[in-house]
Amino acid sequence: MADILSAVPLVENYTSVSTAVGVEQAWRYMNENYSRFQIATFGSGLVHFVSYILISLPSVLFQFIPQMQRFKIQHDKPVTGANQWECIKILLVNQFIIHIPFYLGAYFYCELVNLPFSYETMPAWYVTLGHCFACLVIEDTWHYFNHRLLHHKSIYKYIHKLHHTWQSPFGMVAEYAHPIETMLLGMGTMWGILLFGNHLILLWVWMWIRLIETIDVHSGYDIPLNPMHLFPFYGGAKFHDFHHMNFQGNYAPTFTWWDKIFGTDIQFKEYYKMKEEEAKKQK
Ligand SMILES: [Zn+2]
Ligand SMILES: [Zn+2]
């Protein structure tokens, strides 16, 4: 009897234990079979590329699902296949101009600070998530002020106008930008790593969280029960979609506090207040 009872928690924990064992085995296999150069460059590139495709996929598929159209923020501007192809072309160019040099730089950084890669030195999951949250706050601040700079009338048309090609964005638009913009705003992604970098896992988990965030805010769909909204002050798709529609205001990518402090969310608030009043009149 005692044996049966003691086996119950073992059965309940089987899935999480086997997942953890799977991650450990995969991580050890990677370290035993590939060099640090291969892991930092090709490994990081693969994590980025596969994550970008997988995270973008839902918003690409939503356009073919009629039931999802009620969640589309700008109903009057559907996304076309031509739009998506145009976007993919620039993304592929960016892969070569920006991302390949970036991953080579990532390798030199790993060697310079002797960043640990091994499974034994991997920090606890809550430490990595805490560092990722701090990275998100730093990136949001860097992005807010530099995004405002990119909107300055003397430079807007040379750099940031390319990202604003899409007045009604879709997931893949997240990285559709001029190489100078990708480098400038991409620096915001790196500050946290330079401050907290303690293991390769932080680099990859942070990259993954940042991709989820930026693809979500560009998705064009305001989905109810989106778990990203569990974060207090998270702006989300509705907040950034307004920036693409209006070309002004809502400059922060993730949180709403900088726009609130500097009053750059006023037009956004007024627009939705007006829409609410119109909806009330129609009832
Ligand atoms: Zn902008
Ligand atoms: Zn955008």
Side-chain angles (χ1 to χ4, degrees):
M1 185 65 181
D3 285 350
I4 295 170
L5 287 175
S6 62
V8 171
L10 285 177
V11 173
E12 283 175 352
N13 290 329
Y14 178 76
T15 312
S16 58
V17 169
S18 60
T19 306
V21 170
V23 170
E24 179 182 344
Q25 282 176 342
W27 198 272
R28 286 187 191 281
Y29 179 86
M30 178 184 80
N31 274 308
E32 284 161 13
N33 291 279
Y34 298 97
S35 67
R36 282 175 63 89
F37 175 78
Q38 288 171 323
I39 295 170
T41 54
F42 300 122
S44 301
L46 199 66
V47 169
H48 176 267
F49 185 73
V50 172
S51 304
Y52 197 80
I53 302 280
L54 290 180
I55 301 166
S56 299
L57 203 58
S59 73
V60 171
L61 296 176
F62 288 166
Q63 64 187 306
F64 303 111
I65 306 172
Q67 291 84 346
M68 293 306 294
Q69 297 321 302
R70 64 198 163 113
F71 303 124
K72 177 94 173 73
I73 300 165
Q74 296 185 61
H75 294 280
D76 54 330
K77 298 189 188 87
V79 178
T80 65
N83 291 158
Q84 283 162 347
W85 177 235
E86 183 61 34
C87 188
I88 288 169
K89 281 192 288 184
I90 291 285
L91 292 179
L92 289 175
V93 170
N94 271 2
Q95 285 291 323
F96 288 98
I97 295 178
I98 300 293
H99 292 132
I100 290 177
F102 172 79
Y103 296 126
L104 287 173
Y107 168 68
F108 288 115
Y109 159 74
C110 292
E111 293 309 292
L112 193 70
V113 300
N114 200 19
L115 196 75
F117 281 23
S118 69
Y119 186 81
E120 288 74 18
T121 52
M122 198 182 280
W125 62 268
Y126 50 84
V127 173
T128 300
L129 283 189
H131 281 152
C132 285
F133 182 74
C135 289
L136 210 50
V137 173
I138 294 168
E139 194 281 333
D140 187 67
T141 304
W142 176 266
H143 194 120
Y144 176 82
F145 292 102
N146 284 287
H147 188 184
R148 284 192 73 171
L149 180 73
L150 289 171
H151 272 269
H152 192 278
K153 60 181 187 305
S154 61
I155 53 171
Y156 172 78
K157 65 179 175 183
Y158 301 110
I159 302 169
H160 191 50
K161 193 179 175 196
L162 187 66
H163 183 66
H164 278 278
T165 304
W166 314 103
Q167 210 179 339
S168 174
F170 46 96
M172 279 189 290
V173 169
E175 289 189 352
Y176 184 94
H178 191 286
I180 293 175
E181 175 175 337
T182 305
M183 278 192 286
L184 178 69
L185 298 183
M187 283 167 75
T189 311
M190 292 313 299
W191 293 132
I193 293 294
L194 295 177
L195 274 174
F196 308 116
N198 56 355
H199 194 280
L200 178 71
I201 194 75
L202 175 64
L203 203 73
W204 287 4
V205 173
W206 165 229
M207 191 198 306
W208 191 61
I209 289 177
R210 174 75 182 113
L211 283 176
I212 291 177
E213 174 274 318
T214 190
I215 293 170
D216 179 50
V217 304
H218 286 95
S219 67
Y221 289 85
D222 186 26
I223 313 279
L225 304 177
N226 182 338
M228 293 298 284
H229 285 278
L230 292 173
F231 286 104
F233 299 100
Y234 181 69
K238 204 167 151 184
F239 191 79
H240 191 67
D241 206 282
F242 181 80
H243 176 74
H244 278 262
M245 187 188 81
N246 193 51
F247 297 96
Q248 282 180 24
N250 292 12
Y251 297 104
T254 309
F255 301 110
T256 53
W257 50 60
W258 284 118
D259 283 288
K260 214 177 274 290
I261 290 168
F262 289 100
T264 43
D265 61 351
I266 287 174
Q267 290 183 356
F268 169 71
K269 283 178 183 163
E270 283 175 351
Y271 175 76
Y272 276 97
K273 197 177 160 195
M274 187 186 76
K275 284 196 91 170
E276 264 175 37
E277 282 167 6
E278 277 175 10
K280 271 182 203 164
K281 277 181 202 164
Q282 283 171 2
K283 276 181 187 172

